């Protein structure tokens, strides 16, 4: 009897407390609900579709475990689970206090919600009751775009430094019978390879330990099917990504009540962080969206959010370009570049982009063995330096962009001779070189100044430089910072913070300067770096067949506007049209010897560039619908629709069809069913449409979406591009 009365009283107290302290982070399609329990700690009670009556959230129990003795159980899904208490799974946060105690209990203190650009920020303050440790949880909910960003800040007032050894951005719990995780494996020229699995009890960890070229082996994003495998237009799905251009970690763990715990974080590997009193440790932002209508809707929400609020110059136009890397490699001079600039103009693109190989004098950059660090134009190759190239580009009528890799150094360079102490390198072991180079120690503020100075000097001396391609070809090797001395546990974290310090100074001083983020292909694709960059290079793999797979995966998380795609000579067996049509579905560029093309191929390119310029507002700013996956079929198709649904562009590709394989019509998506559209095939070879049956005809949106167009073929390497104009 006594136990029953105690339980009833406890339940009454709980209800009162919950009614007072339910915190809801809301978008139009998602609610993340938290409650302060009678024990004063904060628990997640719900994550999913908003309930019609939000007061019902007060009915949700915070304690999710059954107490074996029938009493009120004091265990729940703690919002920022800590170590050393009754939380038996992987914690979000762990520290060793100044006195050596390794436990932390966080209690709710206060919270506030305020409007910020595009959304609402929720700030929740937690603190330990025995140690002066404060954790602030931040959430920004972008209501319209249905994206939530979450991160944390940690600080303390203990007498001496504390050691942090877990510092997650946030922690989320999902409830369903089954979870299907797709993570994206990667390597040079093999970016974004999806692998899916059903999660079972136990932990699945996806992480990187590469330091700088951080996403070379694993991408910092994932897709999660909730209840069933994620599908393009059906089912509940989460897309998540962490904004950290360094070692990241996602932990997925199913607990004993069947809930999935998701912990996105900086990878704590070799990174015990000593935090002084008063210092603030800020974690990276975890960005996620939940959809009940499959991956396609989730992607479109992320694309909208990225363009509006995260991607640098996200709402502005992009420049088409001619790059020289795949064409000339290191073999060029002032005269040959001036010719290429004229070629760029004749082709019709906006800019010429000079790649690697233009710098260093004592150890000129003839190949990848020397010169990184010495950012003076090689006088023997380019006697008039960058001013000469800007001049020649102007004379040709195109803008001028330039490649840099300022975070790196070749041991064969004047910079290395002058400042060996600026380099991450072991003092007492053999040195390992990745692409013959080493990583500068960006944890050192002097080095940050130097790297910022590389860009600043080029821009100050040549204000007409219109664009940078910022490369990063080596992971951090020989893990030792001469600057950090006995705080080596800070290296991986402070290095990345140093990189951001440089990026943000560049953006502050040159806010209208578009820049491409590149890392030996696509080893840097994350939403923190993209605050400073207008686009990224998805992969050095420009074989159009392979590229379709890579672009397919990456498009789930990033808008086409951010995805650089260049027509090159990789896989010459593929027609120039096929190669160009593949790149035209992203941010188009060229990296090819135009002189090697036939007259017909060249005039095709000129026509395709003009088409792209006319339609890039639809491709780069419209809604993307992935229609046929190359991972599932021997074909690929996608379409873009302008926000007002007046224009659309359809891309259809035949990769490796089987003999006499039946071809199913491509059904478009996102059109206005009630309106009529004129279908025009564009990017024509020799001016002839190969889809004559529908070219120039009008169809209702309803027809196009339900019956579709018969535009796939059994011919390997065939592609079609259609412009649709609402009548
Ligand atoms: C790697 C990049 O991905 C390439 O596009 C090119 O810029 C080379 N680096 C130059 O070294």
């Amino acid at each position: 009897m006594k136990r029953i009365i105690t339980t009833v009283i406890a339940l009454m107290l709980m209800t009162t407390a919950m009614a007072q302290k339910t915190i809801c982070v809301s978008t139009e399609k998602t609610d993340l609900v938290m409650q302060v329990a009678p024990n004063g700690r904060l628990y997640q009670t719900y994550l999913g579709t908003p309930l019609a009556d939000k007061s019902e959230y007060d009915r949700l129990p915070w304690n999710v475990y059954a107490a074996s003795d029938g009493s009120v159980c004091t265990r729940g899904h703690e919002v920022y689970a800590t170590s050393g208490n009754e939380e038996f799974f992987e914690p979000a946060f762990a520290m060793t206090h100044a006195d050596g105690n390794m436990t932390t209990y966080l209690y709710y203190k206060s919270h506030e919600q305020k409007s910020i650009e595009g959304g609402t920020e929720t700030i929740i303050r937690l603190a330990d009751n025995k140690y002066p440790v404060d954790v602030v949880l931040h959430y920004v909910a972008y209501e319209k775009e249905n994206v939530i960003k979450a991160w944390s800040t940690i600080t303390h007032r203990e007498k001496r430094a504390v050691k942090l050894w877990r510092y997650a951005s946030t922690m989320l719990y999902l409830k369903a019978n089954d979870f299907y995780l797709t993570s994206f494996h990667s390597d040079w020229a093999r970016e974004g390879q999806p692998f899916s699995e059903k999660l079972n009890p136990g932990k699945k960890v996806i992480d990187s330990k590469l330091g700088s070229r951080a996403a070379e082996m694993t991408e910092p994003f994932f897709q999660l099917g909730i209840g069933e495998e994620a599908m393009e237009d059906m089912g509940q799905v989460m897309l998540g990504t962490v904004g950290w251009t360094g070692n990241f970690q996602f932990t997925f763990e199913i607990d004993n009540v069947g809930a999935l715990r998701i912990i996105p974080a900086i990878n704590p590997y070799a990174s015990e962080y000593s935090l002084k009193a008063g210092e603030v440790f800020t974690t990276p932002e975890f960005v996620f969206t939940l959809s009940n209508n499959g991956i396609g809707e989730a992607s479109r929400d992320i694309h909208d959010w990225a363009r509006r609020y995260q991607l640098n110059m996200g709402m502005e136009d992009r420049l088409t370009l001619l790059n020289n890397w795949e064409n000339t490699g290191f073999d060029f001079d002032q005269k040959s570049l001036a010719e290429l600039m004229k070629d760029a103009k004749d082709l019709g693109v906006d800019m010429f982009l000079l790649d690697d190989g233009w710098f260093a004098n004592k150890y000129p950059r003839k190949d990848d063995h020397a010169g990184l660090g010495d950012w003076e134009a090689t006088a023997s190759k380019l006697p008039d330096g960058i001013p000469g190239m800007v001049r020649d580009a102007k004379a040709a009528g195109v803008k001028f962009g330039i490649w840099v890799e300022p975070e790196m150094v070749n041991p064969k360079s004047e910079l290395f001779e002058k400042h060996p102490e600026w380099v991450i390198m072991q003092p007492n072991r053999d040195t390992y070189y990745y692409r013959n180079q080493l990583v500068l120690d960006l944890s050192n503020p002097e080095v940050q100044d130097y790297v910022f100075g590389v860009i600043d000097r080029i821009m100050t001396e040549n204000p007409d430089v219109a664009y940078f391609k910022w490369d990063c070809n080596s992971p951090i090797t020989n893990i030792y910072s001469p600057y950090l001395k006995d705080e080596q546990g800070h290296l991986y974290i402070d290095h990345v913070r140093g990189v951001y310090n440089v990026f943000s100074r560049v953006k502050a001083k040159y806010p209208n300067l578009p820049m491409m983020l590149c890392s030996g292909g696509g080893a840097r694709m994350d939403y923190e770096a993209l605050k400073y960059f207008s686009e990224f290079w998805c992969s050095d793999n420009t074989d159009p067949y392979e590229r379709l797979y890579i672009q397919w995966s990456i498009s789930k998380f990033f808008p086409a506007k951010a995805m650089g795609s260049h027509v090159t000579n990789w896989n010459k067996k593929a027609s120039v049209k096929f190669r160009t049509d593949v790149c035209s579905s992203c941010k188009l560029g060229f990296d090819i010897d135009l002189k090697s093309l036939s007259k017909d191929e060249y005039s095709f390119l000129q026509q395709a560039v003009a088409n792209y310029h006319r339609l890039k507002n639809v491709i780069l700013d419209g809604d993307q619908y992935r229609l046929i996956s190359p991972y599932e079929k021997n074909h690929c198709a996608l379409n873009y629709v302008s926000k007002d649904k007046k224009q659309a562009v359809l891309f259809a590709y035949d990769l490796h069809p089987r003999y006499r394989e039946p071809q199913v019509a491509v059904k478009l998506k996102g059109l206005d069913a009630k309106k009529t559209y004129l279908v025009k095939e564009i990017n024509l070879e020799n001016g002839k449409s190969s889809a004559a049956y529908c070219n120039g005809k009008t169809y209702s949106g309803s027809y196009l979406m339900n019956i579709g167009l018969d535009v796939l073929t059994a011919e390997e390497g065939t592609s079609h591009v259609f412009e649709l104009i609402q009548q």
Side-chain angles (χ1 to χ4, degrees), residues 188 213 323 325-326 330 355-357 365 368 403 405 435 469 471-473 518-522 537 539-540 591:
W188 178 77
R213 190 179 169 162
N323 191 5
W325 173 247
E326 294 288 337
F330 295 96
D355 215 283
D356 195 353
R365 180 90 168 156
D368 62 16
W403 178 96
E405 195 183 0
R435 208 195 190 205
K469 175 178 177 184
D471 211 342
C472 166
N473 282 291
C518 173
S519 185
W537 183 228
S539 176
D540 277 347
D591 196 351

